[in-house]
Amino acid sequence: MLIVRTNSALQKAMAMQQPYHVQTAFVPTMGALHDGHLQLVHAARQQARLVVVSIFVNPTQFNDAADFVHYPVSIEQDIQLLEAAGTDILYLPSVAEMYPAGTANLEQYPLGPLENVLEGKFRPGHFQGVCQVVSRLLQQVQPGLLVMGQKDYQQCMVVQAMIDYLQLSVQMLRVPTKRESDGLAMSSRNRRLSPAERMAAVAMYLALQQMATNARHLPIAELEAKAASQLLAAGFHKIDYISLVHADTLLPVSEPATEPMLAIAAAFLGAVRLIDNLPVAQP
């Protein structure tokens, strides 16, 4: 595995592949890797001859400064995991490399309603930061395939909107959420949970599962209220949302419907904010 830290070094490495017209798959990450990330790398490996992974904790997408400061870092372990998973190039840029003119007054993207619902509502500016860094990474790596995880469902939709807006020639592959044996969605933030919190965290998956199972035939408001009660009873102390939404727009669902739906949640357990989602089976 080749490790590069600057765009110029990345371009030199990529140029060596150009004569062979190699299909490139790209997996952007913020490090603190787990099996969910490695599943993305394996999916990329199946689709392309060249797999590029980036590790960059992007400051512009953190609307909570404390979350940025406490974001877990395990770079040496990450390198070992990526090498074992078959990564060809690891890109480790600095903040100055990604934002040479600084992070003030950066470009803004027209994301429409996506920016104002769910994560957009509770994390203002977050998705603009996501677009700012992913657009730069895509322009530097120039992949044919962008591989992202379905756990960050809204983020996938936002990045696709950004790709469409910029008319970039890259396809997105969404990989299903990787889960622990009890159902908890794998996340770098899980490392910050205490043993007791880790046991309680599975309540989010169970609540979403119950919502998704019953969404086609029980009152939506009743399901959402019951799910919120389950989270509070398990020890979650602040619920940003636990909702049934239209899978294509993320707008609220008011009654059982036949169109694609999604059960989705974000809530705090201790100091850790967890997110997850489950698709509702088609009727």
Side-chain angles (χ1 to χ4, degrees):
M1 183 176 72
L2 178 64
I3 300 176
V4 296
R5 298 178 185 272
T6 65
N7 184 31
S8 60
L10 175 67
Q11 299 311 314
K12 191 175 297 185
M14 300 296 290
M16 294 175 64
Q17 304 295 329
Q18 286 178 353
Y20 306 102
H21 303 287
V22 171
Q23 164 82 325
T24 300
F26 174 51
V27 183
T29 83
M30 294 205 300
L33 303 183
H34 49 70
D35 283 350
H37 292 108
L38 300 183
Q39 180 173 258
L40 302 183
V41 177
H42 293 318
R45 181 83 279 162
Q46 292 174 355
Q47 298 290 328
R49 289 275 305 280
L50 184 71
V51 175
V52 181
V53 177
S54 66
I55 294 177
F56 178 67
V57 183
N58 175 39
T60 72
Q61 70 189 67
F62 285 85
N63 60 313
D64 181 349
D67 196 21
F68 177 64
V69 169
H70 293 298
Y71 195 85
V73 176
S74 54
I75 190 64
E76 295 304 323
Q77 179 183 338
D78 292 348
I79 289 172
Q80 293 175 11
L81 290 172
L82 290 174
E83 192 161 27
T87 304
D88 296 303
I89 299 174
L90 172 57
Y91 184 34
L92 291 172
S94 65
V95 173
E97 188 69 25
M98 293 304 298
Y99 300 105
T103 57
N105 302 314
L106 295 173
E107 74 280 3
Q108 299 291 297
Y109 293 87
L111 302 176
L114 278 177
E115 195 167 13
N116 302 312
V117 299
L118 302 177
E119 289 299 283
K121 177 181 177 181
F122 288 95
R123 301 183 68 186
H126 168 67
F127 286 131
Q128 290 296 332
V130 169
C131 289
Q132 287 154 4
V133 69
V134 175
S135 64
R136 285 164 170 75
L137 288 167
L138 289 176
Q139 289 163 8
Q140 292 174 0
V141 178
Q142 293 286 312
L145 190 69
L146 172 64
V147 184
M148 300 185 70
Q150 190 81 352
K151 185 176 85 73
D152 295 299
Y153 189 96
Q154 188 172 5
Q155 179 170 274
C156 289
M157 292 180 68
V158 163
V159 171
Q160 186 61 61
M162 181 268 294
I163 288 171
D164 294 342
Y165 172 71
L166 295 177
Q167 298 183 330
L168 301 178
S169 57
V170 59
Q171 298 292 316
M172 182 187 294
L173 173 65
R174 298 189 191 186
V175 178
T177 302
K178 181 80 170 176
R179 299 185 177 277
E180 304 286 358
S181 58
D182 62 0
L184 177 67
M186 290 187 178
S187 170
S188 301
R189 289 181 170 84
N190 293 349
R191 300 184 185 190
R192 295 172 54 197
L193 297 171
S194 70
E197 288 169 344
R198 168 61 187 86
M199 290 181 65
V202 70
M204 178 175 282
Y205 169 71
L206 297 175
L208 289 171
Q209 191 177 50
Q210 191 167 71
M211 288 174 69
T213 300
N214 294 294
R216 298 290 180 194
H217 56 274
L218 290 181
I220 300 299
E222 178 183 309
L223 288 171
E224 292 176 341
K226 184 175 181 180
S229 295
Q230 287 177 274
L231 291 190
L232 293 172
F236 285 83
H237 64 93
K238 180 186 175 187
I239 301 172
D240 283 348
Y241 55 84
I242 183 158
S243 309
L244 283 158
V245 298
H246 294 274
D248 297 330
T249 65
L250 301 186
L251 295 177
V253 174
S254 58
E255 57 187 31
T258 57
E259 63 260 37
M261 289 193 291
L262 186 76
I264 189 166
F268 284 85
L269 189 58
V272 183
R273 186 176 187 271
L274 300 178
I275 66 170
D276 198 0
N277 65 83
L278 283 176
V280 175
Q282 286 296 100

